[in-house]
Amino acid sequence: MTRTWDAVVVGAGLCGVRVAEELIAAGLSVRLLDAGPRLQLGATCPEPDRRTWGFKADGGSYDWYRVRAVGGRSWLWGGWCYRFDQRALERAGWPRRARRLAAAYRRVERRLGVVEGLVDERYRRVAEEIGSRALPKRGAMSSPSTAWNATSASAAQRAGTWEVALHVETKGHHATCVETLDLRKEKRRQVRARAIVLAASPVETARILLRSDVDAARWGIGRNFTDHMVASVVLLEPVPPPPRDGRGPFPGAALIENFVNVDDASRQPYRGGFSVEVSGPVSLPSLGIERMVPGAEVDQWSATQVHAMGEVFPDPQRYVDLHPELRDAWDRPVPFIHMGWSDADRAMAQDIKQACISIADLMAVPGSRVIPFHDPLLAGAGHEAGTCMMGDHGAGACNGDGRLRALANVWIADASVMPTPGDRHPSLTLLAHATRVGHAVKRWIASR
Ligand SMILES: Cc1cc2nc3c(=O)[nH]c(=O)nc-3n(C[C@H](O)[C@H](O)[C@H](O)COP(=O)(O)OP(=O)(O)OC[C@H]3O[C@@H](n4cnc5c(N)ncnc54)[C@H](O)[C@@H]3O)c2cc1C
């Protein structure tokens, strides 16, 4: 007899672990599974999966960081944790129900132990000069330099490993099980559950659904793919870095909040806005860039990173489908990411590059150098979103609780549902959404 779980959760990254925690705490039987191994905290991420996972993309040499292991990208993230502004959620088209995030935000912040630093005076001044404000860094950190890793959650300790979800089996408007491949035994398996939660991240969640018996064209599965547009520069200044002491938990880190497309005076010819993270000054060796100045002078210089993140809205040219010929190591069709840029996107790319340079210039002491680091149109941020977008009034692949419209007992807890990746780091909001998915699944199971 095959066991039927209350819920199966696919993907043990931040989102999958968060949903599983909510369901386990309610006394439900939960099968959390992940395609990769469980690594010891402190281990190094397996190198082959740091950069690519058999995804193909056109329109640029995209370099999406991936981790196939319990914990997912929480092995790589920097722990920056900001709430999205209500007006930004509205502007991006979040369904009314999904915008009610305050309680879920509070729950996640407590769970992760989010703390706030102090804003250095120079960032406060620069933000004022460009008509914005500097917010302190808010971070989910296990130690001053290590971000919280989902692997440390007790739900993650129970996750099944080396188990790749292939597709969802369906009967009418319901899913009956997830078909998986056990990589160790090289055996297929059907994991039965009353409720199914997908949290494998947007490209992979889309691949699972595109391989299931779901009318992808009708529900827009794979459509509305987006990612942050990112530009970075490093400001090199001929002054040694200040001591850390007395400057709070994240010395020299702040967010200069979105200052474009927020009012009539700031209107630009693209829809999204962008925020800028600043961090430093730190020593050059701590960023691995000591070769940028003569060896004897390294101690006399410091570096500040200026990093802008732009909110890219969906576009018909950007979507994910399955490659007709290419297959991955397990004979699955490879997801193909179409990344066309519109004139509006190019205008944003130009602006965010210029904003980084202007902010660096405003801070620079005489003799400084500004060095470009990351070109917005050439590399993704690793914050991809969309492919199963939420919408109001029957529009979109999912409703405001992340429940698939095509299958009544399937929810999506990852960034696939997000209409845009937002104008700042997205994971706190993703975790708040995952928490709401947990509540919706509990309600649904209790009502049966
Ligand atoms: C370098 C870097 C720095 C970042 N810094 C920040 C930051 O400071 N703040 C912030 O808010 N965000 C940050 N992010 C983004 C953040 O890491 C992600 O938003 C977040 O980790 C996404 O979590 P997730 O659970 O949705 O997806 P993932 O972490 O990608 O987890 C998906 C999981 O699903 C598993 N999986 C995939 N496919 C299958 C399958 N078919 N079957 C079974 N399992 C599967 C994978 O093994 C993985 O464990 C950063 C990202 C990167 C790359």
Side-chain angles (χ1 to χ4, degrees):
M1 286 272 287
T2 317
R3 176 172 185 178
T4 299
W5 300 83
D6 287 323
V8 57
V9 180
V10 174
L14 284 174
C15 295
V17 166
R18 181 78 276 276
V19 180
E21 281 184 329
E22 286 291 332
L23 300 178
I24 291 168
L28 299 176
S29 62
V30 179
R31 174 79 176 150
L32 171 65
L33 56 90
D34 200 276
R38 190 179 1 260
L39 307 169
Q40 292 297 318
L41 278 177
T44 311
C45 274
E47 193 57 33
D49 290 334
R50 277 202 69 219
R51 283 183 174 256
T52 171
W53 190 2
F55 299 170
K56 294 278 175 230
D58 64 2
S61 61
Y62 290 93
D63 208 9
W64 278 287
Y65 285 84
R66 259 327 59 129
V67 178
R68 195 195 298 138
V70 172
R73 277 172 284 164
S74 68
W75 282 91
L76 300 176
W77 79 319
W80 292 72
C81 277
Y82 291 101
R83 295 184 183 197
F84 284 6
D85 180 90
Q86 277 300 316
R87 278 165 310 174
L89 294 174
E90 217 170 299
R91 197 181 51 199
W94 282 59
R96 183 181 288 274
R97 201 176 161 78
R99 296 202 296 264
R100 278 190 237 123
L101 287 172
Y105 272 139
R106 282 196 297 275
R107 198 168 168 82
V108 174
E109 284 163 354
R110 270 200 308 274
R111 173 68 188 90
L112 266 56
V114 172
V115 291
E116 200 166 283
L118 299 169
V119 178
D120 282 5
E121 189 45 41
R122 73 170 184 161
Y123 298 144
R124 203 185 298 282
R125 183 176 45 75
V126 168
E128 266 173 27
E129 283 190 47
I130 60 169
S132 181
R133 58 176 185 159
L135 306 178
K137 174 169 176 179
R138 308 181 78 231
M141 311 299 283
S142 303
S143 75
S145 56
T146 317
W148 190 85
N149 188 323
T151 314
S152 63
S154 61
Q157 304 302 316
R158 296 158 63 165
T161 55
W162 295 114
E163 196 163 4
V164 179
L166 302 174
H167 64 267
V168 171
E169 288 280 330
T170 62
K171 193 172 179 190
H173 289 301
H174 277 77
T176 52
C177 65
V178 178
E179 175 134 338
T180 67
L181 178 65
D182 181 328
L183 295 182
R184 273 172 302 205
K185 297 188 179 146
E186 294 188 9
K187 214 170 129 185
R188 286 191 179 220
R189 186 179 290 154
Q190 293 196 329
V191 186
R192 302 197 167 274
R194 297 163 76 193
I196 291 171
V197 180
L198 300 180
S201 81
V203 176
E204 192 62 21
T205 288
R207 163 153 63 176
I208 292 168
L209 290 173
L210 288 168
R211 300 200 68 214
S212 305
D213 189 13
V214 173
D215 188 344
R218 172 167 181 206
W219 299 109
I221 310 282
R223 295 275 145 189
N224 304 304
F225 183 77
T226 156
D227 192 0
H228 274 142
M229 191 177 277
V230 167
S232 290
V233 299
V234 172
L235 170 65
L236 288 186
E237 292 176 288
V239 279
R244 290 179 66 98
D245 295 351
R247 297 168 66 213
F250 310 117
L255 179 86
I256 299 182
E257 204 175 27
N258 182 13
F259 49 92
V260 300
N261 288 331
V262 289
D263 55 29
D264 284 344
S266 69
R267 288 266 162 255
Q268 298 297 328
Y270 43 86
R271 289 177 70 192
F274 56 86
S275 297
V276 181
E277 285 172 6
V278 276
S279 43
V282 293
S283 70
L284 273 50
S286 69
L287 295 181
I289 56 169
E290 58 276 25
R291 292 215 187 112
M292 288 190 168
V293 299
E297 293 177 23
V298 169
D299 294 343
Q300 303 310 311
W301 287 77
S302 57
T304 299
Q305 289 171 283
V306 183
H307 187 74
M309 232 176 260
E311 178 178 23
V312 178
F313 274 66
D315 186 289
Q317 300 182 81
R318 276 191 290 272
Y319 60 96
V320 176
D321 60 8
L322 299 180
H323 197 282
E325 285 144 25
L326 295 176
R327 302 261 153 180
D328 72 4
W330 308 302
D331 204 30
R332 298 185 303 165
V334 163
F336 196 78
I337 303 163
H338 302 261
M339 283 298 288
W341 295 117
S342 65
D343 289 346
D345 299 326
R346 288 179 210 287
M348 175 189 258
Q350 196 51 38
D351 270 13
I352 66 174
K353 275 199 268 191
Q354 189 50 52
C356 288
I357 293 169
S358 305
I359 287 172
D361 281 345
L362 284 168
M363 292 190 294
V365 300
S368 300
R369 284 155 52 195
V370 176
I371 299 174
F373 227 67
H374 196 297
D375 189 282
L377 297 179
L378 290 185
H383 297 167
E384 66 276 19
T387 69
C388 303
M389 203 167 103
M390 293 188 281
D392 263 329
H393 312 302
C398 296
N399 73 9
D401 286 335
R403 181 157 81 160
L404 261 193
R405 291 207 157 92
L407 295 171
N409 59 338
V410 177
W411 282 259
I412 298 189
D414 61 33
S416 312
V417 299
M418 290 169 91
T420 72
D423 63 10
R424 59 200 67 193
H425 266 116
S427 300
L428 190 72
T429 303
L430 275 179
L431 285 161
H433 166 72
T435 302
R436 291 190 68 255
V437 168
H439 291 304
V441 173
K442 280 189 280 186
R443 278 198 307 274
W444 184 82
I445 289 180
S447 72
R448 307 298 293 170

